[in-house]
Amino acid sequence: MLGSGGREHALAWKLAQSSCLANGGKLFCAPGNPGVAQAAELVNLDATDHAAVIAFCDTQTIGLVVVGPEAPLVDGLGDALRAEGIPVFGPNKAAAQLEGSKGFTKDLCQRANIPTAGYVRVNSRDAAHAALAQFGAPVVIKADGLAAGKGVTVAMTMAEATAAVDDIFAGRFGEAGAEAVIEEFMTGEEASFFALTDGATILAFASAQDHKRVGEGDTGPNTGGMGAYSPAPVLTPELEAEVMTRIIAPTVKTMADEGMPYSGVLFAGLMLTDAGPKLIEYNCRFGDPECQVMLSRMTSDLGELLLACAEDRLATCAAPRFAPDTALTVVMAASGYPDTPRKGGTITGIAAAEAAGAKVFHAGTALAGDNLVASGGRVLNVTARGATVTEAQSRAYAAVDAIIAPDLFCRRDIGYREVAREAAEG
Ligand code: AMP
Ligand code: GLY
C-alpha cells in the first residue's frame, strides 16, 4: 500500500485482516505512519519513482498494490505497474482524469447526460470574465487540475468571483490553474457515495458525509475534512439507486466505451438538490476521513474485493457488506491547521481512548524518540460506533477527551445535522 494518512491507517488495519494475507502473505506500506506500522511493515519508497516501486514489487513478489492517495494515480503509477503485470487497485492515468481534471469530468457528464451543475471551461482570464458575466453571482470557480483541495471558490459576490478568477490566471495553482471551470451554484445538502468497479462490474460500497470547514457550524476555511460519519441517512436507498443508475453507471460505461476503463473506487461528491442528486465532483480514491468510518463498519473481506477490482473479476464477488450501525470520526488537527499547522506537539492517551471503545487512526503522527508527536495538519481520527449518530458521536468525544494533546484541536459538532434530526424524530 502507498500513502501515509488516516485513510491508509484504516486501509492497512482492514487489509491486515484479509484472507489474502493467509498462508504467509505480508502487507508493506510506503511510507506509512506509526499507526500504519501496527498493521504493516513500513518501507521507504518514493511513489513518484515508478521504477523503484516496480523493483520493490518484483523483489517481494507483491500480489497487489493499493494506492491510497490520488497524486500517484493521476501521475500514471497505475499504468507503470500494469505494464509490468503487477495488479493495482486504482485507475490508470487516463481514467484518473476524473479527479485530475474538473473540465474532463464536466465534459464527460455532458456526453453521458449525467446530472451536474451547468458550466463553461475557460483557459484565459478574459474568457473567464465573460463566463462570470453570463452566470452572475453566486457562482463557483474551479482550477482545472489537482490543487490539494484549495482550487475551488464558491463566490457569493461578483467581487469574490473576479478575485478567484484573477488568482487562478495569475498562476496561484501553477499548471493546475492553466484552465478553469466556471459553474452554476447548486444548493442542497452534500453527501458522498462510493462504488467499486473493475471497469465493467460495479458494486455499491457505502455512503458518508464529512465536514469540510475548519470551524463549528461549518464556518471558516475549507480543509481536507474535520470529521465524518457513515452511512449518510440523507442518502436513502431510493436516492442511492438513482445515483447508481443516473451517475455512477453511465460514468463507468462511458469511460469503458471511450477506451479509458475506470478501475478502483469511484468517490462521488453529490449535491442533493430539489431536482434530485447531482454530481459535484469525482475522486479516484477513498475519501479521508470517509474511508475510516466506512471501513469501521465493513464486515466483508476488503483485500479480496480490491484484488478482484485489480484482476477484472469483480463480477465473481458478493456485494460488500456493512454493519447496520453508524461510525463517526472526529479529526484532531494541529493548532493553526489548515493554514499553518504547528508540528511537534506530544500526544498521549491513545490507549485510554481505545479502552473507552474507540479506534484511533493515525494521520499526521511521527515518533520522536519514544514520544508520539504531531507531524502534519490532520493528526488523529478518533472513531467510534453506535446504534445512532448521537450515540456514536458521544462515544467518539468521550474518547477524544481521553487523549492528552495540548497542541491539537477538534470540532465539537461532528454529525450535528443528523444528531438534530434524531432529536427531532425522538
Ligand atoms: P470540490 O473540490 O469540487 O468538491 O468542491 C469543494 C466544495 O465546494 C464542495 O464540497 C461544495 O461544498 C462546494 N461546491 C463545489 N461545486 C459547487 C457547486 N456547483 N455549487 C455549490 N457548491 C459547490
Ligand atoms: N474528505 C474529502 C476528501 O477526501 O476528498
Side-chain angles (χ1 to χ4, degrees), residues 104-371:
F104 172 89
T105 299
K106 298 300 287 190
D107 286 352
L108 179 107
C109 287
Q110 192 165 60
R111 289 199 297 285
N113 197 21
I114 292 166
T116 189
Y119 73 103
V120 180
R121 287 179 85 164
V122 290
N123 57 15
S124 73
R125 188 173 167 275
D126 285 351
H129 281 251
L132 287 183
Q134 174 196 331
F135 279 89
V139 63
V140 182
I141 296 103
K142 302 183 175 183
D144 185 74
L146 294 184
K150 299 193 169 66
V152 175
T153 302
V154 178
M156 299 315 288
T157 64
M158 280 307 258
E160 278 175 83
T162 312
V165 156
D166 291 352
D167 242 21
I168 289 177
F169 289 104
R172 171 154 176 225
F173 303 106
E175 255 314 287
E179 223 194 289
V181 171
I182 312 286
E183 76 182 44
E184 171 204 354
F185 173 77
M186 300 187 284
T187 52
E189 187 164 338
E190 284 181 53
S192 301
F193 182 73
F194 296 79
L196 298 179
T197 177
D198 57 9
T201 301
I202 308 169
L203 295 179
F205 196 75
S207 66
Q209 270 180 304
D210 80 341
H211 293 270
K212 287 204 171 70
R213 304 295 191 108
V214 74
E216 280 158 23
D218 295 325
T219 54
N222 258 322
T223 71
M226 295 300 292
Y229 49 96
S230 173
V234 284
L235 217 50
T236 59
E238 296 72 32
L239 286 176
E240 262 188 38
E242 190 178 339
V243 169
M244 278 292 268
T245 354
R246 299 198 57 201
I247 299 178
I248 306 284
T251 300
V252 171
K253 181 172 188 311
T254 306
M255 293 294 285
D257 288 351
E258 297 183 357
M260 301 172 278
Y262 184 95
S263 170
V265 58
L266 201 47
F267 164 3
L270 303 166
M271 188 72 85
L272 307 179
T273 73
D274 290 343
K278 293 190 180 180
L279 183 71
I280 300 174
E281 63 159 3
Y282 273 130
N283 296 304
C284 62
R285 51 174 173 82
F286 283 108
D288 184 348
E290 290 90 333
C291 185
Q292 291 85 311
V293 283
M294 296 191 296
L295 295 189
S296 293
R297 296 173 46 232
M298 189 182 190
T299 55
S300 302
D301 186 324
L302 179 70
E304 282 186 358
L305 283 160
L306 303 193
L307 185 59
C309 284
E311 294 180 339
D312 297 337
R313 48 176 183 76
L314 200 56
T316 65
C317 293
R321 286 190 308 279
F322 296 85
D325 61 357
T326 290
L328 181 144
T329 192
V330 176
V331 171
M332 296 183 76
S335 52
Y337 177 75
D339 297 328
T340 49
R342 194 159 120 218
K343 299 182 183 172
T346 57
I347 302 160
T348 58
I350 288 183
E354 295 201 324
K359 174 76 190 163
V360 179
F361 295 111
H362 292 230
T365 68
L367 287 171
D370 288 337
N371 294 328

